Amino acid sequence: MPELFRRLQYLLHRRRLERELANDMEAHREMAARAGHANFGNDLHLREQSRDAWGWTWIDHLLQDLRYAARSLRKSPGFTLAAILMLALGIGVNVAVFGFFNLFVLRPIQVRDAQSLLRFHRRGTNQYAFAVPYPEAAFFRQNSRTLASVIGVNSTSVSIEGEEKPEEARFVTGNFFRDLGGSSAVGRTLDPSIDEAPAADPVLVLSNGYWRRRFAADPSVVGRTLRVNNRQAVIVGVAAADFSGVGGALHDPAFFAPIVQQPYFVEGSRLLTDFSIESPGVSLWGRPGPGVTPSAAEEELRSLAVELRRQYPDSIWENERLPSEPGGYLSAMVTGNRRGTGTEQRDPIVPVLALAGSLTLMIFAVACGNLGGLLLARSVARQREISIRIAIGAGRGRLIRQLFTESLLLAGLGAAAGVALGSTVLHALLAYAGAPAWADGSPDWRIAAFALTAAFGSAILFGLTPALQIGRQRHRANITRHVLIAAQVAASCVLLIVTGLLGRALTRVAFSSPGFEYKQTIAVSSDLARNGYSPARSRAYLNALEDQVRALPGVQSVSLALSPPLGHVTITTGTDVEGHHVEFNRNHVSPEYFQTMAIPILRGRALRPNDRHVMVVSDSVARSAWPGKEPLGQTMDFGERFTVVGIAADVRNLKFGATETGAHAYFPIEEDQWPNLTVVARTAGVPQELAKAVAPAAGRLNPAIRPTIELLSSAFRERMGDVELVALAVSILGSLAQLLACFGIIGLVSYAVSQRTREIGIRMALGAKPGQVLAVVLRRLVLPVTIGLILGVAGAAGLAQFVRGRLYGISHLDPAAYAAAIGFFALTAGIAAVLPARKALRIDPLRALRHD
Amino acid sequence: MPSGALALLILRVLRADALHGYAIAQRIHILSSDVLRIEEGALYPTLQKMLLKGWVTADWGVSETNRKVRFYRLTPAGRQELDDQVAAYERVHDAIQTVLRTA
């Protein structure tokens, strides 16, 4: 230890100690000379030998190498700029994607001690649900000893005075802010002792985002009353901007309110007492006490569930467990309120990011290939310089190290530029998506480590090879070049094919019929639940409204649906059928729905009034659930068994996402769904006029209820906007890769030409024709390009296979997409190869032969 | 000269008093009856290593030729090291001698 300490001191006082050493040795020489002993050693070299003992010479060498590298990079700004640009692009797009991955999966959310937070789901013998009925959660909160805190969160859509669209309210247990460490920007947060007391006043804590958006961050809102669902409540505070809370993904709700007040705001809500699976329930979060493991907490919740089942045998499942997952990450939040039987499938956030990541990795590969080509070409250009340095005594190891240092310097600069580019893109995307302030995409150590790893990885891979070749004064550049070409061709081929597949899938979404009538249809949502209507009263109102609308001129068909197409609500249900998992959008509709939406019934029959325990499934559900079997008469288990009575044609919600498989199942309306139903109507006339006529018709029924009337055609256009955006992003990536690959090929071919100037000159002197000269240059490209194409097609097919199960409308063997991508690639690569190859034709044989 | 021997000799000649680099070389040269000749290329790297190990320290002084130069002086750790190394050397030397005499 003291030796290490002294060594460090030598590093710190290097200059002084070096002077002292030099003085010692000088004195030695003087005295030796006086005594008549001449000493002819190189004193500089001797001094360096002595300093070696300190063990710090590598720093000197490194600094020397860095200085030299910086100088030589400055001397060829074109090369330097191109290399840094390549790295910045390659690393930048990956940093952007990794940034999202980081934000969702790696980085803990902005609450106190996020790592210890757990999220619980429900699981029975044959059932699962992500939501937990509130009374069950409350029972856990009251009785758990292993959990230091139990937090329940319910999201409900509400109407706030002065807002046209419904807003999200987050109803939370009173300990939400206290136990998650959320402070307030102004006023106070929720306090369990005040806000959960009996007869507490209804209060709201605004989210920071809503406070800024609606009230322009005015601190005087505290103490004001706000009408929510026509109920008064006092704003007691605003949540801090850096508090993410739990229970939502990349957005803030309008406000947080104590969950015990939910029935006050939502008339007729049985959230607090309803044990049944139909209850919206809460997402359940917990934090184990000190020294308690998650499995101990799970074990305790299991025994508590057993205890609770004794009181509520119908509502608590047999063998109910509450498995946990780490809750302190955004990825734990995006699992929605899904339920079903059998095994659940997780939400596809990680696979989607993995797909994006593998596409951007291809861009990285192409960029690396270009970098390798640049370095290779440069190494040839520097051959003379290197030879001179070797001739005057530079050691081979030192030379390799120096060249390698140069690559590392490039990598560092490239990484910095890449992080800057990537986080700019990430910020822009987050801002575009309207992400709240706490969703911070700025680079942290993980992003820095990622970028540095990528940069140094590429520098080692592509900097070391040329360095070693130069160091050995031996050139096997041909093989390296061929590998580079093949890798680039393969990577850009994968990108082109996959972007082609995505592009075609998107076009299909955009230009093919969605499978239902949207141009002539309107949707009327009355939000009866928010107006305090009971199911029976809702039924009477909606039946009357249906009659009113049916009587309007031009109306052809009117019906009811729980989740109309292109709406904001989609319910995803999963179940196990004969051992495999089937997932689809669930809708509850009145019998006339198929007529209104013009969805053909392919086989069997539509729903009938007073049907019970029957379902109509879409074609793709039938095919995936019972492949090769007669689907009519089959049953599915949702706690109760439902019999398939009809097969409807597939319809699509036009969301470019995971659940978009065209899979739908239609069930009869259940009694408690009436307040949430939407009236859909199709007209023979102009839908705008029907929309205008509906409002007064509804006003005649009850002037207090002002329904939201939406043209499905405009909802359709809105959705298309999103699809077009994805298509744009995909095609930008594809063209970027193609552009990079072309640059790479141009560079490598012109390098090949410059290397073979003399040979070409001789051939021309001997009478070779231009075509033959071109053939000589290009012939050697054929093999690597072919290998690259084969690898690329295989890679793309593999990736497409992976994507197919997750994104709608992608077929993994779409010959047109493959042919188009390969054709386009061959064309551009051909042009990129011929352009520089033409240089070979302009070679003057005389000059070429004199060329050294 | 076997490696490590130079350090041992330097430790030994520094036991009596502090010396500068040239004097160390001279002292070893004279004491070995002109057999051992220590070059700068060996002496100074070895001295640097000994400084790092803490066996010697260097202080400014004035040489007999009236020149400012550093004098190397044994530390207690160096003295201990000298004793250890001499003991080890003698043991090995005796063993070799025994083998040479009896074999």
Side-chain angles (χ1 to χ4, degrees), chain A residues 528-575:
Chain A
L528 296 174
R530 275 186 247 148
N531 287 288
Y533 270 53
S534 69
R537 220 177 135 204
S538 306
R539 180 181 207 141
Y541 175 86
L542 287 175
N543 283 335
L545 182 62
E546 268 192 295
D547 291 340
Q548 289 274 355
V549 174
R550 205 170 275 130
L552 292 171
V555 172
Q556 290 175 319
S557 174
V558 182
S559 56
L560 297 163
L562 185 61
S563 110
L566 299 170
H568 304 285
V569 188
T570 50
I571 308 163
T572 310
T573 303
T575 185

Side-chain angles (χ1 to χ4, degrees), chain A residues 3 6-7 10 20-21 23-24 26-32 34-35 37 39 46 49-50 53-54, chain B residues 20-22 25-26 37 39-41 43-45 48-49 51-54 60 65 67-70 72:
Chain A
E3 185 177 340
R6 271 192 292 272
R7 211 174 266 261
Y10 270 82
E20 290 180 5
L21 178 65
N23 177 66
D24 279 5
E26 207 178 304
H28 187 111
R29 286 197 170 204
E30 282 170 20
M31 289 185 258
R34 203 172 284 211
H37 305 294
N39 196 332
L46 287 174
Q49 262 182 355
S50 308
W54 302 346
Chain B
H20 55 76
Y22 181 70
Q26 278 306 101
R37 199 181 170 84
E39 298 294 344
E40 286 164 86
L43 176 64
Y44 286 92
Q48 296 308 315
K49 277 186 202 122
L51 279 168
L52 268 179
K53 288 208 187 289
W60 284 110
T65 56
R67 191 186 192 295
K68 243 180 88 135
V69 73
R70 284 194 307 178
Y72 295 87

Side-chain angles (χ1 to χ4, degrees), chain A residues 196-451:
Chain A
E196 288 188 327
D201 291 326
V203 294
L204 308 173
V205 172
L206 296 182
S207 80
N208 203 279
Y210 188 71
W211 179 52
R212 284 172 196 283
R213 180 154 54 92
R214 166 91 189 259
F215 298 103
D218 175 8
S220 72
V221 292
V222 172
R224 260 192 241 171
T225 55
L226 193 65
R227 290 180 80 81
V228 175
N229 286 354
N230 280 326
R231 304 293 169 115
Q232 304 257 11
V234 179
I235 299 169
V236 292
V238 176
D242 61 358
F243 175 64
S244 67
V246 294
L250 261 185
H251 61 91
D252 272 339
F255 62 82
F256 301 90
I259 196 162
V260 290
Q261 304 282 2
Q262 203 254 10
Y264 168 79
F265 291 106
V266 183
E267 178 85 25
S269 163
R270 292 187 294 131
L271 177 73
L272 299 187
T273 51
D274 189 0
F275 262 107
S276 75
I277 182 77
E278 307 302 331
S279 162
V282 293
S283 57
L284 184 65
W285 310 76
R287 199 196 291 282
V292 177
T293 62
S295 54
E298 285 174 26
E299 193 48 47
E300 194 207 22
L301 290 190
R302 185 159 70 167
S303 55
L304 284 176
V306 169
E307 197 177 306
L308 198 60
R309 187 174 152 79
R310 273 187 224 118
Q311 297 173 49
Y312 302 92
D314 295 337
S315 307
I316 305 299
W317 300 333
E318 195 185 345
N319 293 327
E320 178 161 336
R321 301 180 282 123
L322 288 111
S324 69
E325 63 172 333
Y329 303 91
L330 264 182
S331 54
M333 304 225 204
V334 294
T335 46
N337 286 335
R338 301 191 311 158
R339 60 188 160 87
T341 60
T343 52
E344 76 261 45
Q345 258 176 3
R346 303 313 311 272
D347 278 301
I349 183 87
V350 174
V352 165
L353 284 173
L355 168 70
S358 40
L359 288 182
T360 51
L361 268 185
M362 293 295 140
I363 291 198
F364 182 58
V366 177
C368 276
N370 280 355
L371 180 69
L374 282 169
L375 285 169
L376 204 63
R378 180 172 159 84
S379 75
V380 173
R382 288 176 77 179
Q383 223 168 328
R384 187 188 289 264
E385 173 205 334
I386 305 284
S387 306
I388 292 172
R389 292 180 63 195
I390 288 181
I392 59 174
R396 183 182 299 155
R398 189 67 210 286
L399 208 56
I400 291 176
R401 199 161 66 187
Q402 202 274 308
L403 290 169
F404 190 53
T405 310
E406 205 174 295
S407 310
L408 286 185
L409 184 65
L410 268 182
L413 291 171
V419 168
L421 179 71
S423 42
T424 311
V425 170
L426 187 63
H427 269 292
L429 286 176
L430 284 176
Y432 177 81
W438 50 261
D440 180 14
S442 51
D444 59 1
W445 63 268
R446 291 185 199 88
I447 289 180
F450 173 82

Side-chain angles (χ1 to χ4, degrees), chain A residues 64-120:
Chain A
Q64 242 171 37
D65 286 348
L66 277 177
R67 270 197 298 271
Y68 186 82
R71 221 161 49 219
S72 85
L73 288 182
R74 248 205 323 272
K75 256 198 314 202
S76 41
F79 162 80
T80 310
L81 212 65
I84 292 178
L85 194 69
M86 283 302 147
L87 276 170
L89 280 175
I91 292 172
V93 287
N94 281 285
V95 161
V97 170
F98 181 78
F100 271 105
F101 183 74
N102 188 26
L103 194 61
F104 273 91
V105 182
L106 299 179
R107 189 190 285 195
I109 50 173
Q110 303 278 316
V111 300
R112 171 162 40 82
D113 195 13
Q115 274 94 341
S116 72
L117 209 59
L118 299 172
R119 174 163 186 194
F120 295 94

